[in-house]
Amino acid sequence: MADGTGQRIDKWLFFARVVKSRSLAQKLVQSGGVRINRDKTTNAARLVRADDTLTVSIHDTVRILKIRDCGTRRGPASEAAELYEDLSPPPDETTKRKDAEPPKGGYTPPKRPPNKKERRAHERLRWG
């Protein structure tokens, strides 16, 4: 919006594809998962403008987004990516690696399902 007016925070989160629906955006804001310029807000109707910085806590991650522009529609992902600049630090190497060693002494799931012989041995162990 070039005329200096703002846009509702829930609408902007929806247009920028941070959340899947506008009602989820409202719930995220009302639960305190969004900060605007470091100020916590629970009002989904709060206006945001260009150059505002949002801190969004969603799915056990924190994203820091600087608003470049207010959207006019929920368009494709390429259009939504132009609405903000992602200032979030890159994820840690330990959280990024899926092939990291499991903790010692914990349960490690098998790499394949048990065959008939192994299933029957398990049943004998379990039921006697």
Side-chain angles (χ1 to χ4, degrees):
M1 308 216 164
D3 57 355
T5 61
Q7 185 175 37
R8 287 175 57 114
I9 181 67
D10 60 340
K11 204 170 184 180
W12 188 89
L13 289 170
F14 176 62
F15 287 168
R17 293 182 170 261
V18 176
V19 291
K20 287 186 176 185
S21 69
R22 194 153 161 210
S23 61
L24 285 176
Q26 287 176 342
K27 289 176 185 176
L28 178 65
V29 173
Q30 289 171 351
S31 69
V34 177
R35 290 177 181 254
I36 302 172
N37 298 326
R38 294 187 175 183
D39 297 327
K40 189 181 278 191
T41 183
T42 56
N43 184 3
R46 172 111 181 252
L47 297 181
V48 292
R49 294 171 179 78
D51 296 327
D52 281 349
T53 303
L54 300 180
T55 306
V56 182
S57 175
I58 187 168
H59 300 301
D60 297 331
T61 60
V62 176
R63 294 181 66 190
I64 302 169
L65 308 172
K66 183 173 183 179
I67 298 176
R68 288 185 185 166
D69 191 22
C70 294
T72 56
R73 68 184 186 120
R74 182 178 167 94
S78 59
E79 185 179 310
E82 295 174 0
L83 296 179
Y84 62 89
E85 178 183 354
D86 196 353
L87 304 175
S88 304
D92 295 338
E93 287 295 321
T94 56
T95 58
K96 207 163 57 171
R97 290 187 54 200
K98 292 188 178 187
D99 60 338
E101 287 187 35
K104 299 286 182 193
Y107 170 76
T108 54
K111 299 206 184 299
R112 60 172 176 75
N115 59 24
K116 186 175 183 179
K117 184 178 180 182
E118 293 167 343
R119 277 195 320 268
R120 289 190 173 166
H122 179 72
E123 287 175 8
R124 278 194 303 274
L125 249 171
R126 200 167 163 199
W127 304 108

